[in-house]
């Protein structure tokens, strides 16, 4: 188990939560702090928000470090200057000790999974090349003519391309698949 992988996975979960708070504050704007499903809902909204951002970004530019810096700068701006940020983070005060314990177990489990020496059997065929294409180029017309696998524009591959830019995070393929 690698401590840096655990921190990166925690960072990914936190940035999904913050993106979900941004989405929630723009489009829904009301919640109850004792709602049991608010945290999973915000995480799903955050994944949705990041996918929409990456799809629009990837139409014109590659998913590289500039994309990651712009996304995280907007998240940091939201956390520091939005008036309802404190209400969103107050949710964590209402969680029990068992919830934090299970979150810690989840992080340890995903961290152990990220250090597997085996890659998926087809990762060299299309997983890694598509992630490399996403990180290096904007949306390439006709890429599916090389292989049908290259023609799919998977949201998962865009999210993995984003996390590939994080420093010190070498097991990005396993960690994101685990999440």
């Amino acid at each position: 188990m690698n401590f840096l992988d655990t921190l990166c996975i925690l960072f990914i979960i936190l940035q999904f939560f913050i993106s979900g708070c941004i989405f929630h504050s723009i489009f829904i704007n009301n919640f109850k702090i004792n709602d049991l499903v608010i945290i999973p809902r915000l995480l799903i909204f955050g994944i949705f928000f990041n996918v929409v951002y990456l799809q629009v970004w990837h139409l014109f530019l590659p998913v590289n470090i500039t994309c990651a810096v712009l996304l995280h700068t907007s998240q940091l701006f939201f956390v520091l200057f939005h008036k309802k940020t404190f209400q969103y983070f107050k949710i964590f005060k209402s969680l029990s000790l068992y919830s934090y314990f299970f979150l810690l177990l989840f992080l340890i489990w995903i961290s152990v999974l990220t250090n597997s020496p085996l890659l998926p059997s087809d990762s060299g065929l299309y997983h890694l090349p598509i992630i490399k294409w996403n990180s290096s180029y904007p949306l390439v017309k006709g890429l599916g003519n090389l292989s049908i696998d290259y023609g799919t524009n998977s949201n998962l591959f865009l999210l993995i391309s984003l996390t590939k830019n994080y420093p010190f995070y070498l097991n990005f393929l396993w960690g994101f698949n685990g999440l």
Side-chain angles (χ1 to χ4, degrees), residues 108-168:
I108 291 172
W109 177 58
I110 296 296
S111 298
V112 168
L113 288 178
T114 59
N115 288 312
S116 174
L118 302 173
L119 284 174
S121 60
D122 57 352
S123 64
L125 293 175
Y126 64 94
H127 287 94
L128 297 176
I130 290 175
I131 293 168
K132 180 73 173 159
W133 277 99
N134 288 343
S135 297
S136 302
Y137 305 103
L139 194 62
V140 178
K141 296 177 184 172
L143 189 60
N145 294 331
L146 296 175
S147 172
I148 191 69
D149 298 323
Y150 292 165
T152 60
N153 188 10
S154 173
N155 296 331
L156 177 65
F157 293 149
L158 286 174
L159 289 170
I160 292 173
S161 296
L162 180 71
T163 58
K164 182 179 178 264
N165 295 307
Y166 295 161
F168 309 115

Side-chain angles (χ1 to χ4, degrees), residues 3-13 166-169 179:
F3 182 70
L4 288 175
D5 287 337
T6 306
L7 285 179
C8 285
I9 290 168
L10 185 62
F11 177 74
I12 291 169
I13 292 172
Y166 295 161
F168 309 115
Y169 193 43
L179 282 174

Side-chain angles (χ1 to χ4, degrees), residues 19 48 53 80 129 135 166 170:
S19 291
F48 174 75
Y53 168 75
L80 294 177
S135 297
Y166 295 161
L170 301 176

Side-chain angles (χ1 to χ4, degrees), residues 13-140:
I13 292 172
L14 181 65
Q15 71 104 3
F16 281 156
F17 178 78
I18 294 171
S19 291
C21 293
I22 293 171
F23 180 84
H24 193 269
S25 69
I26 292 172
F27 294 107
I28 299 171
N29 207 12
N30 61 351
F31 71 96
K32 298 176 193 152
I33 202 163
N34 55 1
D35 187 5
L36 293 176
V37 295
I38 189 70
I39 292 177
R41 185 178 301 151
L42 289 174
L43 289 174
I44 291 171
F45 286 162
I47 293 170
F48 174 75
F49 183 81
N50 284 352
V51 165
V52 169
Y53 168 75
L54 290 173
Q55 289 285 354
V56 172
W57 180 276
H58 192 242
L59 284 174
F60 307 105
L61 298 167
V63 179
N64 54 14
I65 192 70
T66 308
C67 176
V69 166
L70 187 65
L71 176 68
H72 298 316
T73 303
S74 66
Q75 291 172 342
L76 187 63
F77 184 77
F78 175 79
V79 168
L80 294 177
F81 299 114
H82 195 268
K83 58 186 173 186
K84 289 191 175 184
T85 303
F86 182 70
Q87 290 177 343
Y88 285 111
F89 281 96
K90 199 189 294 186
I91 296 169
F92 292 110
K93 288 177 83 176
S94 67
L95 294 178
S96 68
L97 189 60
Y98 292 116
S99 300
Y100 286 113
F101 176 72
F102 286 120
L103 176 65
L104 180 66
L105 283 179
F106 175 74
L107 289 174
I108 291 172
W109 177 58
I110 296 296
S111 298
V112 168
L113 288 178
T114 59
N115 288 312
S116 174
L118 302 173
L119 284 174
S121 60
D122 57 352
S123 64
L125 293 175
Y126 64 94
H127 287 94
L128 297 176
I130 290 175
I131 293 168
K132 180 73 173 159
W133 277 99
N134 288 343
S135 297
S136 302
Y137 305 103
L139 194 62
V140 178

